[in-house]
Amino acid sequence: MAGRLLKVSSVAAAVVASSGFYLYNNKQLDPNDISLVRFGRAAATTAVISYDYMTSLKHVEYGSEEYWALKSQVHRRSAERLRNLCCANRGTFIKVGQHLGALDYLLPEEYTSTLKVLHSRAPQSSMEEIQQVIREDLGKELSDLFISFDEKPQGAASLAQVHKAVLHDGRTVAVKVQHPKVQTQSSKDIVVMEVLLNMVHWLFPDFAFMWLVEEAKKNMPAELDFLNEGRNAEKVAVMLAHFPWLKVPKIHWDLSTRRILTMDFAEGGQVNDRDYMRRHGINVNEISQNLGKMYSEMIFVHGFVHCDPHPGNVLVRRCPNTKKTEIVLLDHGLYQILLPDFRLNYCRLWQSLIKGDLNGIERYSRCLGAGDLYPLFACVLTARSWTSVNAGVGNTPVTHSEDVEIRSNAALYLPQISDLLNRVPRQMLLLLKTNDLLRGIETTLQTRAASSSFINMSRCCTRAVARHKRSKAQSRARRLQITMSESLTLWQISLYELFLWVKGSTLGGWVGSLLSCLHYTH
């Protein structure tokens, strides 16, 4: 293995040397624009990380306390090197780093906590670059399109940044402008990642992260097409129009292109900002419950899922007119469309997980490609221990010790998790990321132990399965029977929800105290 690493290191050194010579003779170029430089930087980082893992743990007994303490240090150093690489190469590298940082229950904590900062370390394009993109795509100067255009961006992401502007008719809009070099660099960056990940797999056969490259290959072109993002926004707005508390900013198509997206400007605080919610009198439990309703509907009923719910993309506010609490959903570039068979198996798997039906868990996990790793798959999907899965995740509250156990297991079972992620359908990967992002929000809001999320999931799964059965039914009587069964199940779920509400209310406390007194008296 040392010989292999020497070859990788030699290649990296040669590339870096070539890059330096090239730059010396082309002094006007920005080093970050040159593919050779970006590849050399990535190859060198990969070689250093690989060498660290190979040598640091070589003379330590596997499984000892010293081994795990040392491995944690190596994880931390490697994560910091990876973060620095992402910040240096920017664009696609930051996007992939953000993806990894969201996988709280799939990767070691040292990686996820270190890479999370990439959400706030995205690069900014200069005002000159922004004006050039607008000039090229819309054919006009800023002054011809807007009365005012804030030079300081409202936010900068890996692929674009957003500026607040005012149209000539007085409407305030948000203008999302793509970083000018991302389009040309993204496809080359993905090739670089593919080559380097293959090298890592060659050095460490147990770790196969090619799913990461496959996802980037598939999703990056869609995310770089802002017209596609606008269409997604309009589709989800119509699809979830029955939720009056959900707001999706209106798209201004006359001021939108593949690299520019103009939409109504939305005020609000980030969904994980408890201080903002307290100042504005926003009920944390209501927000968490509505977020669960929204995503259960997307995943189980429609199979059209917004897959980037990090806090910057989910705002909360009080409507200035109605004074009611609203959720504003932003950034619609990354959606997953679930195939009908996959969605139904996923529904049935969650129904089994909520009830603790082990036969159903095994059956539908296998249907989703987990094979003999179905126990690990159940734990990864729910971020719960196997003990909780056995009892039914809807029946056992989350505890801090269990949460710590699951996060620790992400480091212990990394090879098995890697194998699992390469087995399951590609559709599952973004769902796992989405699950982890939503769990992260619930953890921050301190609502993860609430049963409302499972109640919402149960409702949506029941509706989805019943709709599928009706579509297959051959007679009106059979369809009526399915509808009656669906209505009964939904009524039972509502009754259970009412019971939990009464139990947690003041009235429930009084009744409980009264029953305790009566029991003590007798």
Side-chain angles (χ1 to χ4, degrees):
M1 186 177 286
R4 291 179 179 180
L5 185 58
L6 182 61
K7 292 178 183 178
V8 175
S9 303
S10 301
V11 171
V15 170
V16 171
S18 303
S19 303
F21 180 76
Y22 184 80
L23 285 174
Y24 180 79
N25 290 283
N26 295 272
K27 296 177 182 178
Q28 300 301 315
L29 290 175
D30 181 349
N32 289 309
D33 296 344
I34 301 170
S35 298
L36 202 60
V37 172
R38 299 165 70 81
F39 175 73
R41 192 184 281 143
T45 301
T46 302
V48 170
I49 290 174
S50 300
Y51 182 79
D52 197 359
Y53 274 104
M54 286 171 53
T55 57
S56 297
L57 304 171
K58 192 173 183 180
H59 302 295
V60 184
E61 183 184 353
Y62 177 83
S64 64
E65 285 188 20
E66 184 186 2
Y67 176 88
W68 293 117
L70 196 56
K71 191 164 189 176
S72 176
Q73 293 173 21
V74 178
H75 281 334
R76 183 73 62 187
R77 289 197 298 268
S78 301
E80 288 170 356
R81 290 171 182 137
L82 193 56
R83 179 198 62 204
N84 294 338
L85 169 64
C86 292
C87 290
N89 276 4
R90 301 181 295 186
T92 309
F93 279 83
I94 285 185
K95 191 71 181 177
V96 171
Q98 289 172 342
H99 188 160
L100 291 173
L103 302 177
D104 279 312
Y105 297 88
L106 297 177
L107 295 178
E109 185 275 336
E110 294 87 351
Y111 276 92
T112 56
S113 62
T114 303
L115 294 175
K116 278 187 192 302
V117 302
L118 291 174
H119 281 294
S120 57
R121 293 276 292 272
Q124 286 189 18
S125 294
S126 68
M127 196 58 203
E128 290 73 21
E129 290 174 316
I130 294 299
Q131 287 177 311
Q132 184 61 28
V133 172
I134 290 175
R135 193 180 296 120
E136 289 174 1
D137 282 33
L138 296 177
K140 294 182 180 180
E141 298 296 329
L142 280 180
S143 57
D144 298 326
L145 299 168
F146 310 102
I147 294 175
S148 66
F149 189 95
D150 289 358
E151 292 196 8
K152 183 180 179 182
Q154 295 287 308
S158 54
L159 306 182
Q161 61 193 52
V162 178
H163 292 261
K164 185 178 181 180
V166 179
L167 300 175
H168 285 284
D169 62 8
R171 287 177 295 171
T172 304
V173 294
V175 185
K176 182 176 180 179
V177 184
Q178 195 172 111
H179 298 309
K181 297 163 188 173
V182 168
Q183 287 274 5
T184 54
Q185 291 172 347
S186 63
S187 56
K188 298 172 187 174
D189 286 345
I190 290 170
V191 171
V192 168
M193 291 178 198
E194 187 169 18
V195 169
L196 294 177
L197 280 173
N198 273 316
M199 286 183 178
V200 171
H201 182 51
W202 181 48
L203 291 167
F204 304 100
D206 283 344
F207 300 96
F209 281 86
M210 292 315 296
W211 57 268
L212 193 61
V213 172
E214 291 170 14
E215 282 301 289
K217 274 184 180 178
K218 185 185 79 171
N219 297 323
M220 195 57 67
E223 288 194 78
L224 289 171
D225 182 0
F226 288 176
L227 294 177
N228 176 66
E229 179 177 342
R231 289 189 291 270
N232 286 342
E234 290 193 338
K235 179 175 178 178
V236 82
V238 172
M239 190 176 84
L240 302 180
H242 56 288
F243 292 143
W245 39 261
L246 175 63
K247 302 299 173 186
V248 177
K250 178 187 173 185
I251 305 299
H252 294 257
W253 289 108
D254 57 324
L255 295 173
S256 298
T257 68
R258 287 178 63 88
R259 294 193 297 169
I260 299 169
L261 188 65
T262 305
M263 67 206 91
D264 285 348
F265 186 81
E267 301 276 5
Q270 291 192 2
V271 71
N272 64 342
D273 190 342
R274 288 177 63 88
D275 290 337
Y276 175 90
M277 294 191 205
R278 188 176 60 253
R279 289 196 310 271
H280 291 81
I282 294 173
N283 187 313
V284 170
N285 290 315
E286 181 186 352
I287 291 296
S288 184
Q289 187 173 6
N290 285 344
L291 202 58
K293 283 182 183 178
M294 179 173 75
Y295 268 90
S296 290
E297 190 90 9
M298 283 191 216
I299 293 169
F300 299 113
V301 178
H302 299 285
F304 184 68
V305 190
H306 179 286
C307 286
D308 201 11
H310 74 76
N313 291 340
V314 186
L315 305 182
V316 295
R317 68 182 187 188
R318 274 200 175 280
C319 176
N321 298 324
T322 65
K323 304 302 179 185
K324 292 184 178 180
T325 301
E326 294 178 340
I327 293 176
V328 183
L329 192 61
L330 305 174
D331 198 344
H332 300 269
L334 186 59
Y335 271 75
Q336 182 67 277
I337 298 173
L338 307 181
L339 296 175
D341 286 347
F342 174 94
R343 181 170 54 84
L344 285 165
N345 284 327
Y346 193 62
C347 280
R348 288 172 169 138
L349 173 57
W350 267 107
Q351 287 179 316
S352 301
L353 287 165
I354 291 168
K355 293 183 293 186
D357 173 8
L358 295 184
N359 289 331
I361 290 170
E362 179 178 356
R363 177 183 176 187
Y364 295 114
S365 293
R366 289 183 181 278
C367 287
L368 291 169
D372 293 336
L373 292 175
Y374 72 88
L376 177 63
F377 182 52
C379 294
V380 161
L381 194 58
T382 59
R384 304 295 300 273
S385 66
W386 183 242
T387 302
S388 295
V389 170
N390 269 271
V393 294
N395 303 320
T396 53
V398 181
T399 62
H400 176 69
S401 59
E402 182 184 20
D403 208 39
V404 170
E405 177 190 342
I406 290 295
R407 288 174 186 271
S408 300
N409 285 342
L412 293 174
Y413 297 105
L414 193 55
Q416 291 87 344
I417 291 174
S418 173
D419 183 20
L420 176 67
L421 295 179
N422 279 289
R423 288 188 187 190
V424 296
R426 301 299 91 185
Q427 297 174 83
M428 182 60 69
L429 299 177
L430 280 180
L431 281 185
L432 291 172
K433 173 197 171 185
T434 304
N435 284 346
D436 276 358
L437 284 167
L438 291 172
R439 272 192 286 263
I441 292 171
E442 288 179 340
T443 300
T444 304
L445 297 181
Q446 298 175 9
T447 58
R448 195 167 163 222
S451 58
S452 61
S453 58
F454 295 119
I455 290 171
N456 292 323
M457 290 170 73
S458 296
R459 275 201 186 95
C460 289
C461 289
T462 298
R463 288 166 51 205
V465 171
R467 186 171 66 181
H468 172 71
K469 287 179 178 178
R470 273 194 297 271
S471 70
K472 301 294 183 182
Q474 299 296 317
S475 66
R476 176 182 286 183
R478 176 59 183 151
R479 286 192 290 273
L480 180 61
Q481 182 186 6
I482 293 166
T483 300
M484 293 291 288
S485 176
E486 175 192 12
S487 299
L488 177 61
T489 303
L490 292 174
W491 179 79
Q492 289 172 333
I493 292 170
S494 295
L495 198 62
Y496 178 64
E497 185 177 31
L498 177 62
F499 164 74
L500 291 177
W501 178 81
V502 171
K503 183 180 177 182
S505 67
T506 305
L507 175 62
W510 290 345
V511 172
S513 300
L514 179 61
L515 290 174
S516 297
C517 289
L518 290 173
H519 177 73
Y520 180 76
T521 304
H522 287 85

